[in-house]
Amino acid sequence: MEKQNEARIDALEAVELTFAALVCNPCDVPHAEVFSCLRARLLTSVRDEETLKIVVDCIFNQCIQRNDIQTSGAQMCTYLSANLNHAEFPTTFRAVFLKRCQEMYAVRNELVESYQGRKELVNFTKFMTQIMMHMKLPDGSVMGPFPQVVLDLLRTLMNAVSEETIQCVNQVLRNSGPLLEQQTKQRPDLDELFNTFRDTYLENVLQPEQQKILLKLILLRNLKWIPNEICSDIINN
């Protein structure tokens, strides 16, 4: 038991040090090198399925509790999903990670009801967007569930409009709008989301800056996500 606890402590320390390296020196150290070092350490310290779950929880919780690591967290999870596998385990890093994502996705409507829950949901939405953009299938296409997950999360956030949720919606769509537009299966849900933007804008119940954000998003989509010379000042200012 003592050796097991030591191994788990070592695994969690490796995760924490990796995040610290990415946050303190985001451009100085190649991510592949950092993730390779993490993988090597986890291969020796993760000796059972429960430890694997603890590692996934640690990474996941960091990404929904902090505001600055969603992109690097998604890159880390993508790397470990492809490269951290134990033949003797009945499950994989990817399977445990996706299960953890599903658990939080399932309680999104409850989370949005509280201040702390909304903060976590905002970060979770940003995190899932980055996962969608990084964790691709072997042929390079987007993994099936993620476009729908991201759209469902955005619609949930629009049920609790605030400065923070509007900023999140804006950031997510500016980063991933073109990618979501390509997912024909989710096109009706994207249309519905923008109908919500239009209706909310016309109701004129938001602060002026929030109104402006929704208008910019509507215009940006109408421009096929590429601002032209006439509308660029409206979109970018």
Side-chain angles (χ1 to χ4, degrees):
M1 180 64 71
E2 183 177 348
K3 288 185 177 181
Q4 184 183 64
N5 288 337
E6 289 177 355
R8 289 177 179 175
I9 291 171
D10 184 70
L12 295 178
E13 182 182 70
V15 171
E16 295 286 351
L17 289 174
T18 301
F19 273 126
L22 295 173
V23 171
C24 294
N25 303 290
C27 299
D28 294 345
V29 182
H31 283 192
E33 180 180 326
V34 175
F35 295 153
S36 178
C37 292
L38 173 62
R39 173 184 177 273
R41 193 162 170 183
L42 291 179
L43 282 173
T44 61
S45 57
V46 177
R47 300 169 182 172
D48 56 76
E49 187 176 347
E50 186 59 32
T51 303
L52 179 60
K53 291 179 180 177
I54 290 172
V55 167
V56 168
D57 275 342
C58 176
I59 296 172
F60 187 89
N61 290 335
Q62 288 267 16
C63 290
I64 65 170
Q65 291 170 4
R66 296 175 55 173
N67 299 321
D68 56 350
I69 58 173
Q70 281 73 43
T71 299
S72 55
Q75 292 169 340
M76 182 189 298
C77 290
T78 299
Y79 181 90
L80 294 178
S81 291
N83 297 285
L84 182 64
N85 297 299
H86 289 260
E88 66 273 19
F89 289 1
T91 188
T92 63
F93 180 94
R94 174 175 289 186
V96 175
F97 172 71
L98 293 179
K99 184 175 184 294
R100 184 66 185 87
C101 294
Q102 172 61 33
E103 290 170 353
M104 186 156 187
Y105 168 80
V107 297
R108 64 192 183 281
N109 292 322
E110 289 81 4
L111 288 171
V112 81
E113 295 295 327
S114 70
Y115 174 75
Q116 183 59 36
R118 279 193 299 275
K119 288 184 64 177
E120 293 184 358
L121 195 62
V122 161
N123 285 338
F124 180 57
T125 303
K126 295 175 183 177
F127 184 39
M128 288 297 94
T129 302
Q130 292 299 321
I131 288 291
M132 175 182 70
M133 297 174 72
H134 287 91
M135 194 177 287
K136 303 292 184 65
L137 295 173
D139 64 359
S141 61
V142 176
M143 285 187 69
F146 288 116
Q148 190 64 55
V149 166
V150 170
L151 285 169
D152 288 345
L153 291 170
L154 292 175
R155 289 190 294 183
T156 301
L157 291 176
M158 285 302 297
N159 290 331
V161 172
S162 67
E163 180 179 358
E164 189 173 34
T165 59
I166 290 290
Q167 289 290 351
C168 174
V169 169
N170 182 48
Q171 178 181 330
V172 164
L173 286 173
R174 282 176 176 264
N175 287 338
S176 67
L179 181 60
L180 289 170
E181 200 76 60
Q182 295 170 10
Q183 313 306 309
T184 54
K185 185 177 179 180
Q186 281 75 37
R187 188 73 55 75
D189 291 311
L190 187 60
D191 291 341
E192 181 182 332
L193 178 64
F194 272 81
N195 286 338
T196 300
F197 293 167
R198 181 201 61 198
D199 293 343
T200 303
Y201 178 81
L202 292 175
E203 288 170 3
N204 199 29
V205 294
L206 303 178
Q207 296 295 320
E209 190 60 33
Q210 296 167 6
Q211 290 277 101
K212 188 177 180 182
I213 288 173
L214 292 184
L215 178 60
K216 288 180 181 180
L217 287 173
I218 293 168
L219 290 172
L220 188 58
R221 191 188 186 204
N222 287 340
L223 294 170
K224 310 300 183 185
W225 304 100
I226 304 175
N228 62 25
E229 293 182 2
I230 297 174
C231 297
S232 61
D233 287 341
I234 299 175
I235 295 293
N236 294 316
N237 293 312

